[in-house]
Amino acid sequence: MIDMNKCGFATRQIHVGKHQNSAGALTTPIYQTSTFEFDSVEQGGRRFAGQEPGFIYTRLSNPTTNAAEEKVASLEGGEAALGTASGMGAISGALWTLLKAGDEVVADETLYGCTFSLLSHGMSRYGVQAKFADFAKPEALKEALTSKTKVVYLETPCNPTLKVVDIAAVASVAHAYNPDIKVVVDNTFASPYLQQPLKLGADVVVHSATKYINGHGDVIAGFIVGTSAFIDEVRGFGLKDMTGAVMSPFDAFLIARGLKTLSIRMERHCSNAMAVARWLHDHPAVAKVWYPGLEDFEGYEIAKKQMLLPGGMMSIEMKADRDTTAAALNKLQLCTIAVSLGDAETLVEHPASMTHSTYTPEELAASGIPEGLVRISIGLEDPEDIIADFEQAFASLV
Ligand code: LCS
């Protein structure tokens, strides 16, 4: 019997989560059912009491969803994982399990717009205070911690500036202050192929599986990864009772399918991104390229230390003003103006007016997000075609 834990990433992304089914189907079937039959009233009672294994109701668990969860747990190096209806469902499910009124969260100041909104405007309604600090400076984090801090929260690379946060350094500052603090890392931009935060000292990983994990732009989903005890708590409370943001079996099927190619997709996203980043870096209309793979980028050294490759996401600042930049971007023909990321298609967006419009102009400035920043999710097309499209779109700027 092969020990899957000893197999490599590519083998596990394909084979973990595969269980025998009555028809002998190679891929895990879509168990498109809300509920599961019990043999008797007594059996139903035993399942609800946790005295007997078995399925109950798809908001609690489902065989198709479990297959995707097992894959993600293995790829992140966690004991268990839980699928959710969206990345925001993963973040809110994890945080509502860890926090209660009176607690504090200390978060990095650069976050996906809706995460920032949840922390700064949503949770405060229920008595949870969020404080923001620049985690690139571990002393800033140390100053923000108090006896009320229960969660330290970060993304890396950050959306949308690609700031790289040293996960091991943050975890060690937080745990030295109080070993009970849970360090939660949003690993969406890296994917488990490039970075595994639990191995660097984080306690919980969250994902928008809408992005690289599914990889095909046709699902909204998320995952929470951590110890079995924590995932049981989220499954039985944070997800079941607080958010109800459960992953659908059909989405779990698409995700398990997408995951089979995660490593080869990420290799191509990264090599394409490196080629495009170098080209943009030398373009006369571009003021700055924010990409962890460029030697002159602030996060380069930390990225090299904690990531396998620098990723498929980048942002650029143009020398032209906002309207001239927008007119140039509107000329793109192959690359698409759209939010989301991690898809086969190259996607271009303007964070200040789109993904980060939940920030006020003052909050954008305080979080180091330039108003004119343009974010690019490099797709899986031929790199010379992506470059040619930017070349024709930017021709009028030089
Ligand atoms: N975390 C990160 C880092 C994200 O970028 C997003 C979505 C989420 C969590 C939330 O995931 P969702 O609920 O959408 O699955 N980011 C988006 C973006 O940058 N463009 O569109 C959505």
Side-chain angles (χ1 to χ4, degrees):
M1 193 68 178
I2 291 176
D3 180 357
M4 260 311 145
N5 294 321
K6 296 208 174 101
C7 290
F9 193 97
T11 306
R12 287 181 289 121
Q13 73 189 2
I14 296 166
H15 290 278
V16 170
K18 201 157 102 182
H19 297 287
Q20 276 185 341
N21 55 77
S22 55
L26 174 69
T27 58
T28 305
I30 308 172
Y31 288 90
Q32 191 69 27
T33 183
S34 322
T35 197
F36 298 84
E37 289 181 37
F38 306 132
D39 290 342
S40 63
V41 172
E42 290 74 17
Q43 185 188 48
R46 287 195 300 277
R47 289 200 183 166
F48 267 85
Q51 292 159 353
E52 179 188 296
F55 294 97
I56 298 174
Y57 185 63
T58 286
R59 180 154 42 77
L60 309 180
S61 67
N62 172 287
T64 316
T65 312
N66 287 3
E69 291 168 345
E70 285 177 38
K71 277 193 203 294
V72 171
S74 169
L75 300 179
E76 282 289 356
E79 286 177 11
L82 182 61
T84 57
S86 65
M88 289 312 298
I91 295 164
S92 54
L95 293 181
W96 284 131
T97 305
L98 292 168
L99 294 161
K100 58 179 181 354
D103 292 343
E104 287 178 1
V105 184
V106 179
D108 181 53
E109 62 191 9
T110 312
L111 296 167
Y112 168 56
C114 297
T115 308
F116 177 74
S117 178
L118 170 72
L119 291 172
S120 58
H121 309 303
M123 298 201 129
S124 56
R125 293 187 180 192
Y126 304 95
V128 174
Q129 288 310 316
K131 290 190 203 167
F132 299 94
D134 180 4
F135 286 9
K137 304 182 193 102
E139 62 282 8
L141 163 63
K142 207 184 271 179
E143 273 170 32
L145 298 170
T146 73
S147 58
K148 292 182 180 168
T149 310
K150 296 286 156 46
V151 168
V152 164
Y153 188 95
L154 67 112
E155 299 171 2
T156 183
C158 295
N159 189 355
T161 60
L162 283 303
K163 177 171 83 173
V164 181
V165 176
D166 187 331
I167 299 171
V170 165
S172 103
V173 167
H175 291 146
Y177 185 86
N178 176 358
D180 293 334
I181 288 176
K182 299 297 179 216
V183 176
V184 180
V185 177
D186 182 329
N187 202 25
T188 299
F189 265 39
S191 89
Y193 183 61
L194 302 184
Q195 173 176 283
Q196 289 145 22
L198 300 175
K199 293 187 181 156
L200 299 168
D203 300 291
V204 175
V205 166
V206 289
H207 270 286
S208 169
T210 312
K211 315 297 188 304
Y212 291 109
I213 284 190
N214 177 55
H216 294 74
D218 47 16
V219 156
I220 297 281
F223 283 97
I224 308 168
V225 194
T227 61
S228 299
F230 176 64
I231 294 301
D232 283 350
E233 217 183 319
V234 189
R235 193 185 287 281
F237 175 66
L239 183 71
K240 178 172 77 71
D241 303 336
M242 296 288 281
T243 70
V246 63
M247 181 180 280
S248 80
F250 183 62
D251 287 351
F253 169 81
L254 288 174
I255 289 166
R257 182 183 198 259
L259 274 171
K260 290 183 185 183
T261 55
L262 179 64
S263 62
I264 52 177
R265 287 190 284 108
M266 292 315 296
E267 295 274 351
R268 179 63 180 255
H269 279 296
C270 293
S271 64
N272 277 2
M274 198 69 231
V276 176
R278 288 210 191 284
W279 183 85
L280 287 167
H281 185 267
D282 294 338
H283 195 283
V286 177
K288 182 177 172 185
V289 179
W290 308 53
Y291 181 59
L294 293 175
E295 295 81 353
D296 60 3
F297 186 65
E298 294 85 338
Y300 175 76
E301 289 299 334
I302 303 166
K304 220 166 120 180
K305 188 178 75 168
Q306 72 186 13
M307 296 174 76
L308 182 65
L309 293 165
M313 295 298 299
M314 71 186 64
S315 288
I316 54 175
E317 272 184 294
M318 304 298 288
K319 290 178 185 162
D321 62 26
R322 182 173 162 175
D323 289 347
T324 313
T325 298
L329 293 173
N330 288 339
K331 293 183 189 152
L332 288 167
Q333 293 170 20
L334 180 74
C335 306
T336 307
I337 310 290
V339 297
S340 204
L341 58 112
D343 295 343
E345 294 84 354
T346 294
L347 305 178
V348 181
E349 68 114 6
H350 175 237
S353 64
M354 299 177 191
T355 51
H356 292 69
S357 53
T358 52
Y359 285 72
T360 62
E362 296 72 33
E363 286 168 342
L364 283 176
S367 304
I369 303 170
E371 207 276 337
L373 201 72
V374 173
R375 196 190 71 184
I376 311 170
S377 169
I378 301 292
L380 301 174
E381 301 95 339
D382 290 298
E384 52 274 22
D385 293 331
I386 303 172
I387 290 170
D389 198 26
F390 278 103
E391 188 162 31
Q392 65 79 20
F394 289 177
S396 60
L397 301 177
V398 292

